Amino acid sequence: MDFGNIGSYFELVLSKRLSAVDVDQRISHQHELGGFAALRPLLGDDDIQRIPSLYIYLDDEGVCTDRSWTTWYDTRRKQATRGPEYRLYYPDVEPVKRACAGDLTITCLTKDGELAFFFVASGSYREAEMLWLFGIDGEEGSFTPARDMERRIDATGAELLDVLGFEVEPPDELHGYLEDMLRLWPDAFPSGRAFSRFARDVSGIDPRSNPDEALVEYYNTQTMLFMGYERYEHERRLGPYVRNVGDPDYEAILKVAMSMFQRRRSAAGHALEYHLEALFDARDISYTAQSLTEGRERPDFIFPSISAYRDAGFPEAGLTLLGAKTTAKDRWRQILQEGRRVKRKHLITLEPAITIEQTDEMEERNLQLVVPAPIQSSYSRAQRGWLWSVEDFCNHVANTQAWSE
């Protein structure tokens, strides 16, 4: 199961590197983006005033969004002797003000006929994510269509689309599983561990044969199942409040919404840990999860056990520490403070396309990044030579465990 493809959400995706004339108001006061010949078959030959438009600026500090309009017009319409030159005129909105020459811009025409403009800070985490999501290289000097509109969207891609404000469509087969979930848990959402077990049962993959594919599929499946249940919860819990439009209880709506948001964050954070536990158990790998070490630190996993870690006579070379984070970003540095007896730390993440600068720093800080094999294609060739797969990590702890025994 997945969330469809890029073409399910966008009619066309164009990308380029911004030039100074595109966005630098000290150089150009025209508020125009040119080079949109690829849009002409979709928008037509006539000028169009005030096309509904979404403007988003992304960097590692956050997301800035504005909804406004854009005008499509031929700058040479009154010049009979010259061919057409179509441009998009944009208003003075905050996301565009933040963009700089050299930033990535991705312009999309949505299925609803809306234009979406994404301006992404050069060299940021967000840039790497957007390049991966749309399958583009970002080196174009003029607007270039994305090559693969059939590119499939997994759970990580769906979460990114959600950040961008797009409603992600769950697969059709999810409806049947929702019935199963409501039959199992008719009155309340289950524990995270029980829900993760259900997701693994639905996926039907044996982690002993291919742990990399299994881990990715477990997480994808759980994300989709959670989405289905959450939508049901939206209707059940928020319905009574929003139907009473004459006198809505805003405080109650906010309380329910915040509760559901916190549960979403918690479910995502713990799901990876639960799936890793199941994977290690299936492969007879000894570990201890979430136990205290020095300074009240609590590593996600210690191998072969926390008792071995606390035994001063146990050789340090036989110990392994693993942090588990669905997204690494700058949070990976906290792992360096955990488990002082373990000099070389390991971190597993589902995040695609972490920047070279970040992975270089990880290597310098003696942290080995573990990325499931299906996600490693989003990294550069040089990075892939250094990354470990889940299989690599399992073999490492299994061999270390056999040696230490």
Side-chain angles (χ1 to χ4, degrees):
M1 292 191 292
D2 59 32
F3 294 87
N5 56 33
I6 290 295
S8 303
Y9 301 89
F10 304 102
E11 293 285 354
L12 185 67
V13 175
L14 304 169
S15 65
K16 67 167 284 189
R17 288 285 165 189
L18 288 171
S19 65
V21 73
D22 290 322
V23 291
D24 193 334
Q25 298 304 303
R26 296 169 299 179
I27 297 175
S28 173
H29 301 282
Q30 298 179 9
H31 289 70
E32 292 178 339
L33 294 173
F36 285 104
L39 275 174
R40 188 177 176 187
L42 298 175
L43 294 182
D45 295 338
D46 296 331
D47 294 351
I48 306 176
Q49 300 290 324
R50 305 181 75 85
I51 302 171
S53 301
L54 171 67
Y55 291 88
I56 298 181
Y57 176 80
L58 304 99
D59 62 14
D60 293 339
E61 300 302 316
V63 180
C64 173
T65 302
D66 197 349
R67 287 194 175 274
S68 188
W69 51 267
T70 311
T71 294
W72 166 257
Y73 73 107
D74 177 10
T75 62
R76 298 176 178 174
R77 187 167 300 283
K78 296 181 180 180
Q79 302 176 36
T81 60
R82 305 182 69 185
E85 181 180 319
Y86 285 91
R87 294 184 182 179
L88 292 172
Y89 179 89
Y90 57 83
D92 196 20
V93 292
E94 184 62 26
V96 182
K97 291 180 182 178
R98 298 192 183 190
C100 301
D103 286 350
L104 173 70
T105 181
I106 302 174
T107 301
C108 304
L109 182 64
T110 73
K111 290 293 186 178
D112 297 330
E114 182 181 56
L115 285 170
F117 298 90
F118 308 115
F119 301 96
V120 195
S122 177
S124 63
Y125 267 115
R126 289 300 190 187
E127 180 187 57
E129 290 176 337
M130 295 291 281
L131 291 172
W132 165 80
L133 176 65
F134 290 105
I136 53 183
D137 57 35
E139 297 304 319
E140 300 85 357
S142 59
F143 278 103
T144 303
R147 293 182 294 272
D148 184 13
M149 296 297 287
E150 297 297 319
R151 184 179 180 83
R152 308 306 297 181
I153 298 174
D154 62 7
T156 304
E159 289 164 354
L160 182 52
L161 283 174
D162 183 65
V163 168
L164 298 175
F166 291 88
E167 184 176 358
V168 179
E169 294 297 329
D172 292 337
E173 55 264 43
L174 186 59
H175 299 297
Y177 293 120
L178 178 58
E179 294 178 0
D180 293 338
M181 288 186 285
L182 295 178
R183 186 166 52 251
L184 287 170
W185 308 296
D187 301 318
F189 193 78
S191 69
R193 192 174 296 277
F195 196 73
S196 295
R197 187 183 308 114
F198 179 77
R200 291 193 297 273
D201 291 342
V202 168
S203 69
I205 296 181
D206 185 349
R208 291 170 294 185
S209 59
N210 192 324
D212 289 85
E213 290 187 2
L215 186 61
V216 172
E217 186 59 27
Y218 291 162
Y219 189 77
N220 283 346
T221 302
Q222 178 156 348
T223 300
M224 285 180 274
L225 294 172
F226 187 87
M227 177 185 294
Y229 196 97
E230 189 178 50
R231 288 192 176 186
Y232 163 79
E233 284 279 270
H234 282 163
E235 296 180 5
R236 184 179 71 85
R237 297 180 63 185
L238 289 175
Y241 298 113
V242 299
R243 291 191 190 102
N244 185 17
V245 294
D247 185 22
D249 188 342
Y250 293 112
E251 184 174 344
I253 292 173
L254 180 60
K255 183 177 180 180
V256 171
M258 289 300 297
S259 170
M260 298 176 74
F261 176 72
Q262 291 298 331
R263 187 175 66 190
R264 177 190 294 187
R265 293 183 62 183
S266 176
H270 292 297
L272 179 58
E273 298 169 22
Y274 296 147
H275 296 318
L276 284 169
E277 288 180 11
L279 190 155
F280 297 144
D281 290 342
R283 295 173 72 98
D284 296 321
I285 294 173
S286 297
Y287 66 90
T288 302
Q290 296 291 328
S291 283
L292 291 173
T293 57
E294 308 90 345
R296 307 295 294 176
E297 297 290 349
R298 193 183 295 272
D300 292 318
F301 295 95
I302 289 285
F303 303 85
S305 66
I306 191 62
S307 59
Y309 182 88
R310 292 169 178 166
D311 180 359
F314 190 88
E316 292 186 355
L319 300 170
T320 302
L321 182 148
L322 176 69
K325 296 185 181 300
T326 53
T327 58
K329 295 197 168 33
D330 290 334
R331 294 182 299 156
W332 62 267
R333 292 183 181 86
Q334 72 187 54
I335 298 170
L336 302 176
Q337 310 304 317
E338 300 172 350
R340 297 170 191 170
R341 290 193 66 195
V342 182
K343 301 301 184 288
R344 182 169 178 79
K345 310 295 198 299
H346 293 76
L347 167 65
I348 186 166
T349 185
L350 302 180
E351 183 173 1
I354 295 176
T355 63
I356 293 176
E357 291 77 14
Q358 289 288 323
T359 55
D360 284 349
E361 185 180 352
M362 291 177 187
E363 188 172 13
E364 291 171 2
R365 303 285 292 274
N366 210 15
L367 183 142
Q368 176 62 58
L369 189 62
V370 181
V371 178
I375 301 175
Q376 289 194 14
S377 60
S378 66
Y379 289 74
S380 71
R381 186 182 300 275
Q383 288 173 305
R384 293 198 297 270
W386 168 73
L387 294 175
W388 279 21
S389 66
V390 181
E391 182 72 48
D392 291 334
F393 180 80
C394 289
N395 290 338
H396 166 73
V397 290
N399 292 337
T400 301
Q401 179 176 312
W403 167 81
S404 60
E405 291 175 351

